[in-house]
Amino acid sequence: MSMTRHAEPAVGTPPAPGPRESDGRTAQRPLALRLLARPEVGVFLGAVAVYVFFLISAPPVREGSAMANILYQSSTIGIMALPVALLMIGGEFDLSAGVAVITSALTASMLSYQLTMNVWVGVVVALLVSLGVGFFNGWMVVRTGLPSFLITLGTFLILQGVNLAVTKLVTDNVATDDISDMDGFDQAKKVFASSFEVGGVQVKITIVYWLVFAALATWVLLRTRYGNWIFAVGGNKESARAVGVPVTFTKISLFMLVGLGAWFVGMHQLFTFNTVQSGEGVGQELIYISAAVIGGCLLTGGAGSAIGPVFGAFMFGMVQQGIVYAGWNPDWFKAFLGVMLLGAVLINLWVSRTATRR
Amino acid sequence: MDSSSPSRSRRIAPVVAMAAAVALTLAGCSSSSGGKKSEESADGASAGKASTPQMTVALVTHQSPGDTFWDIVRKGAQAAADKDNVKLVYSADPSAGGQANLIQNAIDQKVDGIAVTLAKPDALKAVIAKATAAKIPVVGLNSGVSEWKKLGLLEFFGQDETVAGEALGNKLNSLGSKKVVCVIQEQGNIGLTQRCDGVKKTFSGSVENLYVNGTDMPSVKSTITAKLSQDKGVDHVVTLGAPIALTAAQSVADAGSKAKIATFDLNKDLTGAISKGTVELAVDQQPYLQGYLAIDSLWLYKNNGNYMGGGEQPVLTGPAFVDKSNVDAVAAYAAKGTR
């Protein structure tokens, strides 16, 4: 966003007089350049590049079932990357997002198991807990004015410890009990973790949720007042406040939105795997944040989109699974991943620079 | 961890209270199947209590937080400690430097014995020498089967990971397997690599390693699915931990593959999967036994001067195979989280 704004005056200034440029098109830059200047186009091209690359080098990727698998992996990252991206546009970020997913799943699982309740009770309580964690993060950030890095680093460590200690205390093990034979499980599994068939390929429902949420987030960001508030508080908090944007509300609600995402992904994991291990989730926060950054969200806030992180998450899923489909030496797995991602970010940077350079 | 728990419990207190309130209002929503009510209450193994004077033993492992396996080791150690009138001080750090500090800490506390895992033996050499110099008996468990004698430890309890891998390789041969994928959930962990290497040594078909991100189950699931659909010839998936094996079972179904699953280590859901047949077999190194024997041996040494393994040979706790034929005998203990 900020980049396009910088570019505008350059367009408005009349270029050096030349006979050939007076054909009326100088008033506007070519469509291709204007498109490239959008934050999500760089990552879109990066995603296409990665996709084509694996289409050539990994034959199984050409099959529908492989694509369904890649998209599934992308969706579990992507659903969280969306609220994380909105939060980053709003100028904050959340290091506790990875373990918060597990906190939510643990809450739902242990509560319904220990009290022998219908699992929906656990699901609802887990939602409250997740929103509560988000509220706590947001409220602390707004009240103390400390960087969200510090606050959410604290929450990250607290949740990591609580996940482990409470699970151990309650179940006497470090994993929760299997809840798959309990009332409401099948119903909840249908909602959070079912799959359906499209042309003989099993497609996981999280893919649908992911795309629907992305469309919803795009609409909110671009067409609603709340969306404007997000850009405003991320761009400049003080001037946003001066023009009447409810900064406190916006920031806290964004953190709670991350909580909502964590709940959703947590429920998906619980109803897919029946049990949850308390040590999981550590490190995932960085993957969500990377997907958002690759998707064109600036670490400084005020810029980005909701569709960018969709491609960012897709790129993660594509690279992670593509290496396996290509049958490459797994010793190099992480290195491959790093190189591909750095490459994608560089393409992203180069595209936006080229596009905004006059 | 213990010192900070009061502040945490204060923070979660309102949450717990709220959860309880919600739960009570929704009391009509109780589940008619499964859940805590169906769980049988059973106590752990108990063999009375020794009348010897209380001694303090430190157990220092390289556990990373939230790992089922280490939880079982600790339960075994605690059971022995309760029986032997031993005060057990448990601590763990996955980094070698951190673990060395914890051992130093135990020496400073003047404990009566130290049990330690040797995941990174070279880094612990110096501090173990200090313990020996302070006349504190030290025993090893779990990892370091080829190093414990060099470091001057009294005894060792555990499984030789390579030997266990070799045993599984032989087993797979007898099952007529041709192509195996060995799933490693933590890159750079020597013990895990040794298992796959062991399989490779004796297995007559081909073995390929596959790295997955153990802290993200959906990614574990889709990575194994990807591997199975990339290579349709795979007939066995070897996993190195029980939760990974259960996830691999879903991948096999997702990929429409005919591959069977063999795994290292057990938990209670896995015993269920073995009796249902979704997982073919497990190599059990009996972590409970490792923890139990480590503590019990220090008690025996102090009170009767005994050496298990004669001070010469390691005491092997694995590999013991668990499959459909013997899973019922094991399942009851796994349900309690001790096998």
Side-chain angles (χ1 to χ4, degrees):
Chain A
M1 280 305 266
S2 61
M3 282 170 173
T4 32
R5 240 175 266 141
H6 282 302
E8 235 77 76
V11 177
T13 340
R20 255 179 240 153
E21 291 194 21
S22 55
D23 58 0
R25 276 187 293 172
T26 44
Q28 253 188 344
R29 294 185 308 150
L31 177 70
L33 278 187
R34 273 186 292 135
L35 259 182
L36 281 177
R38 296 205 53 78
E40 59 271 18
V41 171
V43 65
F44 171 73
L45 293 181
V48 168
V50 168
Y51 176 62
V52 169
F53 177 74
F54 281 110
L55 214 52
I56 294 163
S57 52
V61 169
R62 294 165 208 162
E63 282 168 39
S65 58
M67 196 31 74
N69 187 37
I70 290 167
L71 284 175
Y72 166 63
Q73 158 85 80
S74 312
S75 70
T76 58
I77 296 168
I79 291 175
M80 270 307 272
L82 278 174
V84 166
L86 293 187
L87 181 68
M88 283 175 68
I89 298 172
E92 307 288 345
F93 72 70
D94 190 348
L95 282 178
S96 69
V99 285
V101 169
I102 304 302
T103 304
S104 203
L106 289 171
T107 309
S109 170
M110 286 194 292
L111 193 96
S112 30
Y113 186 86
Q114 296 300 325
L115 302 174
T116 318
M117 291 283 192
N118 189 307
V119 295
W120 281 105
V121 178
V123 171
V124 171
V125 175
L127 174 62
L128 298 177
V129 169
S130 285
L131 291 176
V133 170
F135 179 81
F136 175 79
N137 278 334
W139 182 75
M140 285 290 277
V141 166
V142 171
R143 276 301 287 268
T144 60
L146 287 169
S148 47
F149 181 91
L150 288 178
I151 301 285
T152 59
L153 182 63
T155 330
F156 166 68
L157 295 172
I158 293 172
L159 289 182
Q160 208 184 330
V162 167
N163 281 358
L164 182 58
V166 173
T167 309
K168 175 81 185 164
L169 208 66
V170 170
T171 66
D172 202 29
N173 293 308
V174 293
T176 65
D177 299 279
D178 187 346
I179 60 161
S180 63
D181 56 350
M182 295 181 64
D183 285 354
F185 183 88
D186 294 330
Q187 238 179 357
K189 192 182 173 80
K190 271 203 188 87
V191 174
F192 293 106
S194 61
S195 52
F196 56 92
E197 212 178 280
V198 176
V201 175
Q202 285 291 317
V203 178
K204 296 276 191 311
I205 197 153
T206 46
I207 300 172
V208 177
Y209 284 123
W210 174 39
L211 299 178
V212 169
F213 292 162
L216 200 67
T218 303
W219 178 76
V220 167
L221 210 48
L222 299 180
R223 291 276 175 270
T224 67
R225 198 158 55 155
Y226 183 67
N228 283 335
W229 290 349
I230 296 175
F231 279 110
V233 297
N236 188 331
K237 198 171 70 182
E238 291 319 313
S239 36
R241 187 167 275 142
V243 297
V245 172
V247 173
T248 304
F249 167 79
T250 310
K251 293 225 167 185
I252 292 181
S253 62
L254 282 173
F255 275 106
M256 289 175 77
L257 217 54
V258 175
L260 186 69
W263 169 76
F264 197 88
V265 176
M267 292 309 103
H268 169 70
Q269 293 204 11
L270 174 59
F271 293 109
T272 307
F273 301 110
N274 309 340
T275 64
V276 197
Q277 290 200 90
S278 53
E280 278 176 46
V282 179
Q284 285 303 104
E285 65 284 342
L286 292 180
I287 291 183
Y288 304 144
I289 292 171
S290 315
V293 171
I294 293 167
C297 298
L298 295 185
L299 276 167
T300 47
S305 70
I307 197 74
V310 171
F311 296 119
F314 171 75
M315 224 142 78
F316 257 97
M318 186 73 237
V319 173
Q320 214 166 12
Q321 305 310 329
I323 288 166
V324 180
Y325 281 120
W328 289 339
N329 182 352
D331 289 348
W332 292 91
F333 182 86
K334 287 264 167 70
F336 275 133
L337 200 65
V339 168
M340 299 293 283
L341 290 174
L342 259 185
V345 179
L346 288 178
I347 289 177
N348 202 352
L349 184 74
W350 174 77
V351 165
S352 60
R353 278 204 186 144
T354 319
T356 49
R357 200 192 305 136
R358 166 78 233 306
Chain B
M1 189 179 291
D2 285 338
S3 61
S4 56
S5 62
S7 64
R8 275 181 195 146
S9 58
R10 219 175 297 145
R11 179 159 293 138
I12 58 166
V15 176
V16 172
M18 185 187 65
V22 173
L24 285 176
T25 37
L26 295 173
C29 298
S30 49
S31 175
S32 59
S33 60
K36 182 81 175 170
K37 276 185 189 157
S38 70
E39 190 185 86
E40 280 179 358
S41 61
D43 294 322
S46 167
K49 192 166 180 176
S51 56
T52 46
Q54 192 182 50
M55 59 188 275
T56 306
V57 172
L59 172 57
V60 185
T61 75
H62 63 281
Q63 169 189 23
S64 55
D67 188 318
T68 313
F69 180 88
W70 289 103
D71 198 42
I72 300 176
V73 172
R74 191 177 172 180
K75 279 179 186 161
Q78 191 61 55
D82 291 346
K83 185 199 73 174
D84 294 339
N85 193 19
V86 165
K87 186 178 163 223
L88 180 70
V89 182
Y90 182 83
S91 57
D93 196 315
S95 76
Q99 205 190 350
N101 281 341
L102 291 171
I103 296 170
Q104 181 61 51
N105 190 317
I107 298 171
D108 298 342
Q109 290 179 44
K110 300 196 169 55
V111 296
D112 301 301
I114 299 175
V116 62
T117 64
L118 302 174
K120 284 145 191 157
D122 291 340
L124 302 183
K125 211 174 201 164
V127 73
I128 286 174
K130 271 198 216 167
T132 326
K135 299 208 161 41
I136 300 174
V138 184
V139 299
L141 70 152
N142 181 258
S143 40
V145 69
S146 53
E147 316 283 343
W148 66 279
K149 275 194 87 175
K150 274 182 258 170
L151 267 63
L153 267 53
L154 282 182
E155 306 152 277
F156 182 86
F157 310 93
Q159 159 176 272
D160 184 324
E161 301 292 9
T162 315
V163 169
E166 288 170 2
L168 181 59
N170 285 326
K171 184 92 179 174
L172 291 169
N173 285 336
S174 71
L175 292 168
S177 172
K178 295 275 174 280
K179 191 159 198 185
V180 165
V181 167
C182 197
V183 182
I184 300 178
Q185 73 270 25
E186 192 189 329
Q187 221 161 350
N189 181 324
I190 294 172
L192 297 183
T193 317
Q194 280 173 345
R195 289 176 174 180
C196 290
D197 289 349
V199 173
K200 218 169 263 178
K201 217 181 260 177
T202 54
F203 185 59
S204 51
S206 74
V207 181
E208 210 179 312
N209 289 0
L210 176 70
Y211 289 101
V212 297
N213 175 8
T215 59
D216 179 22
M217 273 302 168
S219 109
V220 171
K221 182 176 161 182
S222 39
T223 304
I224 300 174
T225 308
K227 184 67 206 173
L228 291 176
S229 40
Q230 181 252 331
D231 192 342
K232 303 272 188 205
V234 173
D235 52 27
H236 272 89
V237 178
V238 171
T239 58
L240 309 180
I244 311 285
L246 295 164
T247 304
Q250 296 195 4
S251 301
V252 166
D254 274 7
S257 162
K258 289 196 176 63
K260 295 197 167 112
I261 295 157
T263 187
F264 287 83
D265 301 342
L266 271 182
N267 69 16
K268 74 173 173 182
D269 293 330
L270 193 82
T271 56
I274 290 176
S275 36
K276 262 190 280 173
T278 45
V279 172
E280 195 175 23
L281 63 99
V283 183
D284 185 13
Q285 62 168 310
Q286 308 192 78
Y288 188 85
L289 196 57
Q290 292 176 2
Y292 188 93
L293 290 180
I295 305 304
D296 211 25
S297 69
L298 284 165
W299 177 79
L300 281 168
Y301 177 76
K302 169 137 180 153
N303 291 291
N304 206 34
N306 291 123
Y307 294 94
M308 289 195 208
E312 285 293 322
Q313 294 294 324
V315 178
L316 294 185
T317 59
F321 286 105
V322 177
D323 59 18
K324 223 168 189 165
S325 65
N326 63 350
V327 68
D328 292 340
V330 174
Y333 306 115
K336 286 188 297 183
T338 59
R339 252 321 274 273

